[in-house]
Amino acid sequence: MVLRPNQRIKLDDTDDKLFYGLPRFVTHVDDGFIQKLTDLYRQRLEPNTRIFDMMSSWVSHLPQEMQFSHVEGHGLNQEELARNPRFDNYFVQNLNENPKLPLKDQDFDAVLNCVSVQYLQYPEAIFTEIHRILKPGGVAIFSFSNRMFSQKAIQAWRDSSEAGRVELVRSYFQSVPGFTPPEVIKNQSTAPNFLQWLGAAGGDPFYAVIAHRN
């Protein structure tokens, strides 16, 4: 196991579905982060493939010019998911209650997760599921910054530095046999911390951890 029991604790341990019960039609990172993520998807995803966008919302940040054969969405708020124009289908599920994905084995070319990995209490189970649903050679891309709903982030994430969080996500991939060695992309912020928290342009650091199913 990657995490000890105390590292999975959240400050707010009420049902996650209550916290996400009201839609939030906002983006949780700045425009610079979003542009970096869209560019990364443009480089790493192939058109006309099957995409699973997990822990998503009303926007997926996929390149507008790229078309995919199927985009499956997942999240905790029905209204947000219904508004996402890229989804061909979506479902609502609390992965901290039930990590088993209702998806077929080896059915997706890519699994995406944007600024949500910090909320997973049982990442070992989730990353096992990601491996199961990916086709051989399929890619998983986890992106994150330094922003979070601190009351819903696990203690291991809250207690870590930004570098430590990168290593944490790397360890999630490494806990599952069958992933390639994780690749890390880092674009640290050039803005002072107080400007980052004020949402200054270019203020959000960008991190991505990427691995393929062998």
PDB file of all heavy atoms in Angstrom, residues 45-69:
ATOM      1  N   LEU A  45      -2.442  12.972 -27.210  1.00  0.00           N
ATOM      2  CA  LEU A  45      -3.638  12.225 -27.582  1.00  0.00           C
ATOM      3  C   LEU A  45      -3.740  12.088 -29.097  1.00  0.00           C
ATOM      4  O   LEU A  45      -3.272  12.954 -29.831  1.00  0.00           O
ATOM      5  CB  LEU A  45      -4.897  12.917 -27.038  1.00  0.00           C
ATOM      6  CG  LEU A  45      -4.961  13.122 -25.524  1.00  0.00           C
ATOM      7  CD1 LEU A  45      -6.249  13.841 -25.151  1.00  0.00           C
ATOM      8  CD2 LEU A  45      -4.832  11.804 -24.777  1.00  0.00           C
ATOM      9  N   GLU A  46      -4.357  11.003 -29.527  1.00  0.00           N
ATOM     10  CA  GLU A  46      -4.570  10.770 -30.951  1.00  0.00           C
ATOM     11  C   GLU A  46      -6.041  10.987 -31.283  1.00  0.00           C
ATOM     12  O   GLU A  46      -6.922  10.626 -30.500  1.00  0.00           O
ATOM     13  CB  GLU A  46      -4.173   9.336 -31.310  1.00  0.00           C
ATOM     14  CG  GLU A  46      -2.698   9.027 -31.124  1.00  0.00           C
ATOM     15  CD  GLU A  46      -1.804   9.755 -32.113  1.00  0.00           C
ATOM     16  OE1 GLU A  46      -2.313  10.111 -33.200  1.00  0.00           O
ATOM     17  OE2 GLU A  46      -0.619   9.958 -31.810  1.00  0.00           O
ATOM     18  N   PRO A  47      -6.325  11.593 -32.450  1.00  0.00           N
ATOM     19  CA  PRO A  47      -7.731  11.764 -32.838  1.00  0.00           C
ATOM     20  C   PRO A  47      -8.391  10.414 -33.092  1.00  0.00           C
ATOM     21  O   PRO A  47      -7.724   9.406 -33.352  1.00  0.00           O
ATOM     22  CB  PRO A  47      -7.639  12.607 -34.116  1.00  0.00           C
ATOM     23  CG  PRO A  47      -6.258  12.378 -34.633  1.00  0.00           C
ATOM     24  CD  PRO A  47      -5.386  12.139 -33.440  1.00  0.00           C
ATOM     25  N   ASN A  48      -9.708  10.425 -32.995  1.00  0.00           N
ATOM     26  CA  ASN A  48     -10.523   9.237 -33.269  1.00  0.00           C
ATOM     27  C   ASN A  48     -10.192   8.075 -32.334  1.00  0.00           C
ATOM     28  O   ASN A  48     -10.236   6.910 -32.733  1.00  0.00           O
ATOM     29  CB  ASN A  48     -10.372   8.810 -34.739  1.00  0.00           C
ATOM     30  CG  ASN A  48     -10.741   9.931 -35.698  1.00  0.00           C
ATOM     31  OD1 ASN A  48     -11.769  10.583 -35.528  1.00  0.00           O
ATOM     32  ND2 ASN A  48      -9.885  10.187 -36.683  1.00  0.00           N
ATOM     33  N   THR A  49      -9.860   8.413 -31.091  1.00  0.00           N
ATOM     34  CA  THR A  49      -9.605   7.393 -30.081  1.00  0.00           C
ATOM     35  C   THR A  49     -10.626   7.540 -28.954  1.00  0.00           C
ATOM     36  O   THR A  49     -11.414   8.487 -28.925  1.00  0.00           O
ATOM     37  CB  THR A  49      -8.180   7.512 -29.514  1.00  0.00           C
ATOM     38  OG1 THR A  49      -7.953   8.859 -29.065  1.00  0.00           O
ATOM     39  CG2 THR A  49      -7.143   7.159 -30.575  1.00  0.00           C
ATOM     40  N   ARG A  50     -10.582   6.598 -28.016  1.00  0.00           N
ATOM     41  CA  ARG A  50     -11.543   6.574 -26.910  1.00  0.00           C
ATOM     42  C   ARG A  50     -10.891   7.153 -25.659  1.00  0.00           C
ATOM     43  O   ARG A  50      -9.836   6.685 -25.234  1.00  0.00           O
ATOM     44  CB  ARG A  50     -12.034   5.141 -26.658  1.00  0.00           C
ATOM     45  CG  ARG A  50     -12.883   4.595 -27.806  1.00  0.00           C
ATOM     46  CD  ARG A  50     -13.311   3.158 -27.561  1.00  0.00           C
ATOM     47  NE  ARG A  50     -14.064   3.009 -26.319  1.00  0.00           N
ATOM     48  CZ  ARG A  50     -15.356   3.248 -26.182  1.00  0.00           C
ATOM     49  NH1 ARG A  50     -16.064   3.690 -27.223  1.00  0.00           N
ATOM     50  NH2 ARG A  50     -15.970   3.064 -25.018  1.00  0.00           N
ATOM     51  N   ILE A  51     -11.551   8.155 -25.082  1.00  0.00           N
ATOM     52  CA  ILE A  51     -11.013   8.919 -23.954  1.00  0.00           C
ATOM     53  C   ILE A  51     -11.916   8.741 -22.737  1.00  0.00           C
ATOM     54  O   ILE A  51     -13.151   8.835 -22.860  1.00  0.00           O
ATOM     55  CB  ILE A  51     -10.939  10.423 -24.298  1.00  0.00           C
ATOM     56  CG1 ILE A  51     -10.220  10.658 -25.635  1.00  0.00           C
ATOM     57  CG2 ILE A  51     -10.292  11.198 -23.155  1.00  0.00           C
ATOM     58  CD1 ILE A  51      -8.777  10.260 -25.650  1.00  0.00           C
ATOM     59  N   PHE A  52     -11.312   8.525 -21.569  1.00  0.00           N
ATOM     60  CA  PHE A  52     -12.051   8.551 -20.309  1.00  0.00           C
ATOM     61  C   PHE A  52     -11.547   9.730 -19.484  1.00  0.00           C
ATOM     62  O   PHE A  52     -10.385   9.766 -19.079  1.00  0.00           O
ATOM     63  CB  PHE A  52     -11.874   7.242 -19.536  1.00  0.00           C
ATOM     64  CG  PHE A  52     -12.551   7.236 -18.186  1.00  0.00           C
ATOM     65  CD1 PHE A  52     -13.857   7.689 -18.040  1.00  0.00           C
ATOM     66  CD2 PHE A  52     -11.890   6.777 -17.057  1.00  0.00           C
ATOM     67  CE1 PHE A  52     -14.487   7.689 -16.805  1.00  0.00           C
ATOM     68  CE2 PHE A  52     -12.512   6.765 -15.817  1.00  0.00           C
ATOM     69  CZ  PHE A  52     -13.817   7.225 -15.689  1.00  0.00           C
ATOM     70  N   ASP A  53     -12.430  10.693 -19.255  1.00  0.00           N
ATOM     71  CA  ASP A  53     -12.102  11.901 -18.486  1.00  0.00           C
ATOM     72  C   ASP A  53     -12.694  11.734 -17.091  1.00  0.00           C
ATOM     73  O   ASP A  53     -13.877  11.985 -16.873  1.00  0.00           O
ATOM     74  CB  ASP A  53     -12.663  13.128 -19.195  1.00  0.00           C
ATOM     75  CG  ASP A  53     -12.239  14.436 -18.532  1.00  0.00           C
ATOM     76  OD1 ASP A  53     -11.353  14.394 -17.659  1.00  0.00           O
ATOM     77  OD2 ASP A  53     -12.795  15.485 -18.884  1.00  0.00           O
ATOM     78  N   MET A  54     -11.867  11.332 -16.149  1.00  0.00           N
ATOM     79  CA  MET A  54     -12.371  10.991 -14.821  1.00  0.00           C
ATOM     80  C   MET A  54     -12.284  12.168 -13.854  1.00  0.00           C
ATOM     81  O   MET A  54     -11.430  13.035 -13.999  1.00  0.00           O
ATOM     82  CB  MET A  54     -11.603   9.781 -14.254  1.00  0.00           C
ATOM     83  CG  MET A  54     -10.153  10.025 -13.951  1.00  0.00           C
ATOM     84  SD  MET A  54      -9.282   8.546 -13.332  1.00  0.00           S
ATOM     85  CE  MET A  54     -10.211   8.210 -11.840  1.00  0.00           C
ATOM     86  N   MET A  55     -13.233  12.200 -12.895  1.00  0.00           N
ATOM     87  CA  MET A  55     -13.306  13.272 -11.905  1.00  0.00           C
ATOM     88  C   MET A  55     -13.368  14.623 -12.612  1.00  0.00           C
ATOM     89  O   MET A  55     -12.664  15.567 -12.269  1.00  0.00           O
ATOM     90  CB  MET A  55     -12.129  13.185 -10.930  1.00  0.00           C
ATOM     91  CG  MET A  55     -12.037  11.823 -10.234  1.00  0.00           C
ATOM     92  SD  MET A  55     -10.621  11.636  -9.138  1.00  0.00           S
ATOM     93  CE  MET A  55     -11.170  12.578  -7.717  1.00  0.00           C
ATOM     94  N   SER A  56     -14.222  14.699 -13.607  1.00  0.00           N
ATOM     95  CA  SER A  56     -14.289  15.856 -14.495  1.00  0.00           C
ATOM     96  C   SER A  56     -15.445  16.768 -14.106  1.00  0.00           C
ATOM     97  O   SER A  56     -16.057  16.622 -13.044  1.00  0.00           O
ATOM     98  CB  SER A  56     -14.408  15.380 -15.945  1.00  0.00           C
ATOM     99  OG  SER A  56     -14.294  16.451 -16.848  1.00  0.00           O
ATOM    100  N   SER A  57     -15.744  17.714 -14.992  1.00  0.00           N
ATOM    101  CA  SER A  57     -16.779  18.707 -14.697  1.00  0.00           C
ATOM    102  C   SER A  57     -17.394  19.190 -16.004  1.00  0.00           C
ATOM    103  O   SER A  57     -17.580  18.410 -16.928  1.00  0.00           O
ATOM    104  CB  SER A  57     -16.175  19.870 -13.908  1.00  0.00           C
ATOM    105  OG  SER A  57     -15.202  20.552 -14.685  1.00  0.00           O
ATOM    106  N   TRP A  58     -17.656  20.478 -16.098  1.00  0.00           N
ATOM    107  CA  TRP A  58     -18.353  21.026 -17.269  1.00  0.00           C
ATOM    108  C   TRP A  58     -17.408  21.371 -18.415  1.00  0.00           C
ATOM    109  O   TRP A  58     -17.846  21.731 -19.497  1.00  0.00           O
ATOM    110  CB  TRP A  58     -19.148  22.258 -16.876  1.00  0.00           C
ATOM    111  CG  TRP A  58     -18.307  23.416 -16.411  1.00  0.00           C
ATOM    112  CD1 TRP A  58     -17.608  23.501 -15.242  1.00  0.00           C
ATOM    113  CD2 TRP A  58     -18.076  24.638 -17.111  1.00  0.00           C
ATOM    114  NE1 TRP A  58     -16.946  24.713 -15.163  1.00  0.00           N
ATOM    115  CE2 TRP A  58     -17.227  25.426 -16.290  1.00  0.00           C
ATOM    116  CE3 TRP A  58     -18.511  25.152 -18.331  1.00  0.00           C
ATOM    117  CZ2 TRP A  58     -16.796  26.693 -16.671  1.00  0.00           C
ATOM    118  CZ3 TRP A  58     -18.086  26.418 -18.697  1.00  0.00           C
ATOM    119  CH2 TRP A  58     -17.242  27.170 -17.875  1.00  0.00           C
ATOM    120  N   VAL A  59     -16.092  21.222 -18.208  1.00  0.00           N
ATOM    121  CA  VAL A  59     -15.103  21.488 -19.255  1.00  0.00           C
ATOM    122  C   VAL A  59     -13.976  20.479 -19.131  1.00  0.00           C
ATOM    123  O   VAL A  59     -13.574  20.113 -18.024  1.00  0.00           O
ATOM    124  CB  VAL A  59     -14.583  22.938 -19.159  1.00  0.00           C
ATOM    125  CG1 VAL A  59     -13.917  23.196 -17.820  1.00  0.00           C
ATOM    126  CG2 VAL A  59     -13.644  23.272 -20.301  1.00  0.00           C
ATOM    127  N   SER A  60     -13.493  20.000 -20.278  1.00  0.00           N
ATOM    128  CA  SER A  60     -12.451  18.966 -20.280  1.00  0.00           C
ATOM    129  C   SER A  60     -11.100  19.461 -20.778  1.00  0.00           C
ATOM    130  O   SER A  60     -10.119  18.727 -20.697  1.00  0.00           O
ATOM    131  CB  SER A  60     -12.892  17.779 -21.149  1.00  0.00           C
ATOM    132  OG  SER A  60     -13.974  17.103 -20.558  1.00  0.00           O
ATOM    133  N   HIS A  61     -11.032  20.659 -21.337  1.00  0.00           N
ATOM    134  CA  HIS A  61      -9.782  21.254 -21.817  1.00  0.00           C
ATOM    135  C   HIS A  61      -9.161  20.486 -22.980  1.00  0.00           C
ATOM    136  O   HIS A  61      -7.965  20.607 -23.246  1.00  0.00           O
ATOM    137  CB  HIS A  61      -8.765  21.394 -20.674  1.00  0.00           C
ATOM    138  CG  HIS A  61      -9.303  22.075 -19.464  1.00  0.00           C
ATOM    139  ND1 HIS A  61      -9.911  23.312 -19.518  1.00  0.00           N
ATOM    140  CD2 HIS A  61      -9.354  21.685 -18.161  1.00  0.00           C
ATOM    141  CE1 HIS A  61     -10.301  23.670 -18.303  1.00  0.00           C
ATOM    142  NE2 HIS A  61      -9.980  22.703 -17.462  1.00  0.00           N
ATOM    143  N   LEU A  62      -9.961  19.702 -23.682  1.00  0.00           N
ATOM    144  CA  LEU A  62      -9.470  19.005 -24.869  1.00  0.00           C
ATOM    145  C   LEU A  62      -9.347  19.999 -26.030  1.00  0.00           C
ATOM    146  O   LEU A  62     -10.131  20.948 -26.117  1.00  0.00           O
ATOM    147  CB  LEU A  62     -10.424  17.881 -25.260  1.00  0.00           C
ATOM    148  CG  LEU A  62     -10.523  16.721 -24.270  1.00  0.00           C
ATOM    149  CD1 LEU A  62     -11.740  15.860 -24.579  1.00  0.00           C
ATOM    150  CD2 LEU A  62      -9.250  15.883 -24.297  1.00  0.00           C
ATOM    151  N   PRO A  63      -8.381  19.803 -26.928  1.00  0.00           N
ATOM    152  CA  PRO A  63      -8.253  20.717 -28.074  1.00  0.00           C
ATOM    153  C   PRO A  63      -9.525  20.726 -28.915  1.00  0.00           C
ATOM    154  O   PRO A  63     -10.055  19.672 -29.269  1.00  0.00           O
ATOM    155  CB  PRO A  63      -7.069  20.128 -28.858  1.00  0.00           C
ATOM    156  CG  PRO A  63      -6.311  19.314 -27.859  1.00  0.00           C
ATOM    157  CD  PRO A  63      -7.332  18.772 -26.915  1.00  0.00           C
ATOM    158  N   GLN A  64     -10.011  21.913 -29.228  1.00  0.00           N
ATOM    159  CA  GLN A  64     -11.279  22.024 -29.944  1.00  0.00           C
ATOM    160  C   GLN A  64     -11.215  21.387 -31.327  1.00  0.00           C
ATOM    161  O   GLN A  64     -12.225  20.864 -31.813  1.00  0.00           O
ATOM    162  CB  GLN A  64     -11.684  23.494 -30.058  1.00  0.00           C
ATOM    163  CG  GLN A  64     -12.089  24.128 -28.743  1.00  0.00           C
ATOM    164  CD  GLN A  64     -12.640  25.536 -28.914  1.00  0.00           C
ATOM    165  OE1 GLN A  64     -12.699  26.059 -30.029  1.00  0.00           O
ATOM    166  NE2 GLN A  64     -13.055  26.148 -27.818  1.00  0.00           N
ATOM    167  N   GLU A  65     -10.034  21.422 -31.942  1.00  0.00           N
ATOM    168  CA  GLU A  65      -9.937  20.914 -33.312  1.00  0.00           C
ATOM    169  C   GLU A  65      -9.821  19.393 -33.376  1.00  0.00           C
ATOM    170  O   GLU A  65      -9.933  18.807 -34.452  1.00  0.00           O
ATOM    171  CB  GLU A  65      -8.740  21.550 -34.022  1.00  0.00           C
ATOM    172  CG  GLU A  65      -7.378  20.971 -33.646  1.00  0.00           C
ATOM    173  CD  GLU A  65      -6.802  21.535 -32.353  1.00  0.00           C
ATOM    174  OE1 GLU A  65      -7.504  22.313 -31.657  1.00  0.00           O
ATOM    175  OE2 GLU A  65      -5.653  21.198 -32.031  1.00  0.00           O
ATOM    176  N   MET A  66      -9.609  18.744 -32.237  1.00  0.00           N
ATOM    177  CA  MET A  66      -9.450  17.291 -32.221  1.00  0.00           C
ATOM    178  C   MET A  66     -10.792  16.615 -31.947  1.00  0.00           C
ATOM    179  O   MET A  66     -11.514  16.983 -31.025  1.00  0.00           O
ATOM    180  CB  MET A  66      -8.433  16.858 -31.153  1.00  0.00           C
ATOM    181  CG  MET A  66      -7.009  17.244 -31.467  1.00  0.00           C
ATOM    182  SD  MET A  66      -5.820  16.584 -30.248  1.00  0.00           S
ATOM    183  CE  MET A  66      -5.822  14.843 -30.699  1.00  0.00           C
ATOM    184  N   GLN A  67     -11.099  15.642 -32.764  1.00  0.00           N
ATOM    185  CA  GLN A  67     -12.308  14.850 -32.575  1.00  0.00           C
ATOM    186  C   GLN A  67     -11.931  13.445 -32.125  1.00  0.00           C
ATOM    187  O   GLN A  67     -10.941  12.878 -32.592  1.00  0.00           O
ATOM    188  CB  GLN A  67     -13.125  14.790 -33.870  1.00  0.00           C
ATOM    189  CG  GLN A  67     -13.611  16.153 -34.356  1.00  0.00           C
ATOM    190  CD  GLN A  67     -14.487  16.850 -33.330  1.00  0.00           C
ATOM    191  OE1 GLN A  67     -15.404  16.233 -32.779  1.00  0.00           O
ATOM    192  NE2 GLN A  67     -14.221  18.126 -33.081  1.00  0.00           N
ATOM    193  N   PHE A  68     -12.739  12.902 -31.223  1.00  0.00           N
ATOM    194  CA  PHE A  68     -12.467  11.585 -30.676  1.00  0.00           C
ATOM    195  C   PHE A  68     -13.652  10.671 -30.955  1.00  0.00           C
ATOM    196  O   PHE A  68     -14.786  11.137 -31.096  1.00  0.00           O
ATOM    197  CB  PHE A  68     -12.195  11.684 -29.178  1.00  0.00           C
ATOM    198  CG  PHE A  68     -11.043  12.592 -28.846  1.00  0.00           C
ATOM    199  CD1 PHE A  68     -11.264  13.922 -28.495  1.00  0.00           C
ATOM    200  CD2 PHE A  68      -9.741  12.137 -28.935  1.00  0.00           C
ATOM    201  CE1 PHE A  68     -10.206  14.772 -28.213  1.00  0.00           C
ATOM    202  CE2 PHE A  68      -8.680  12.977 -28.657  1.00  0.00           C
ATOM    203  CZ  PHE A  68      -8.907  14.294 -28.297  1.00  0.00           C
ATOM    204  N   SER A  69     -13.394   9.368 -31.039  1.00  0.00           N
ATOM    205  CA  SER A  69     -14.478   8.438 -31.349  1.00  0.00           C
ATOM    206  C   SER A  69     -15.460   8.329 -30.189  1.00  0.00           C
ATOM    207  O   SER A  69     -16.655   8.077 -30.399  1.00  0.00           O
ATOM    208  CB  SER A  69     -13.912   7.061 -31.701  1.00  0.00           C
ATOM    209  OG  SER A  69     -13.178   6.518 -30.614  1.00  0.00           O
TER     210      SER A  69
END
